[in-house]
């Protein structure tokens, strides 16, 4: 029945800061950007390597997301990279701090985590 993941929706607390993070730091491309005046809300559609993947929303005064300690619901957003050390170095050059690299006990893959401007955990997995 399901074909693929279509997109991931993220609500941010500071639209300009999150827009810069996802485009300038992570390298997502803008597919469409719309302001919905009736909701005082932006909707930013982002692509990664030509594939639509993230809807970034802003709303006035959104509630804080419970993340740590672990809470029910969506845990994190993960991206695959070819060279984990190179990706970590690029992020560090842009002021993003990553956790120490770990190895998945089941797959043997190397991975790390960092956070977006609202503290949403983002994982990089070396493929």
């Amino acid at each position: 029945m399901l074909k693929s993941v279509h997109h991931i929706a993220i609500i941010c607390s500071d639209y300009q800061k999150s827009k810069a993070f996802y485009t300038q730091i992570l390298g997502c491309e803008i597919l469409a950007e719309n302001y919905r005046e009736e909701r005082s809300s932006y909707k930013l559609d982002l692509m990664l390597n030509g594939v639509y993947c993230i809807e970034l929303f802003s709303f006035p005064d959104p509630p804080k997301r419970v993340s740590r300690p672990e809470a029910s619901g969506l845990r994190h957003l993960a991206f695959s990279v070819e060279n984990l050390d190179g990706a970590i170095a690029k992020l560090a050059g842009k002021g993003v701090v990553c956790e120490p690299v770990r190895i998945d006990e089941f797959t043997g893959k190397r991975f790390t985590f960092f956070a977006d401007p609202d503290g949403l955990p983002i994982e990089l997995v070396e493929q």
Side-chain angles (χ1 to χ4, degrees):
M1 180 175 89
L2 300 180
K3 186 174 170 184
S4 66
V5 173
H6 187 268
H7 69 273
I8 296 153
I10 299 170
I11 298 172
C12 62
S13 63
D14 182 324
Y15 179 72
Q16 295 303 328
K17 189 174 185 180
S18 291
K19 177 183 174 182
F21 178 83
Y22 283 95
T23 59
Q24 296 170 17
I25 293 177
L26 295 187
C28 292
E29 303 165 67
I30 296 173
L31 177 62
E33 181 176 29
N34 296 289
Y35 182 72
R36 303 174 304 175
E37 192 166 337
E38 71 282 359
R39 300 174 100 180
S40 299
S41 169
Y42 279 97
K43 179 182 180 284
L44 182 67
D45 296 328
L46 298 170
M47 299 185 303
L48 188 59
N49 297 318
V51 178
Y52 176 56
C53 62
I54 294 174
E55 282 181 338
L56 184 65
F57 291 98
S58 69
F59 292 106
D61 304 312
K64 296 283 184 201
R65 177 184 182 274
V66 176
S67 177
R68 295 180 195 258
E70 302 298 351
S72 297
L74 183 65
R75 184 173 187 276
H76 63 265
L77 176 60
F79 294 101
S80 62
V81 297
E82 288 185 24
N83 180 329
L84 186 61
D85 296 322
I88 291 169
K90 283 184 182 179
L91 288 170
K94 296 178 180 185
V96 176
V97 177
C98 293
E99 294 180 359
V101 173
R102 295 183 266 166
I103 298 176
D104 185 287
E105 62 185 303
F106 301 111
T107 66
K109 304 270 185 192
R110 298 171 69 230
F111 67 98
T112 189
F113 282 93
F114 58 96
D116 84 348
D118 287 303
L120 174 68
I122 299 178
E123 179 182 13
L124 296 181
V125 180
E126 191 169 58
Q127 297 294 304

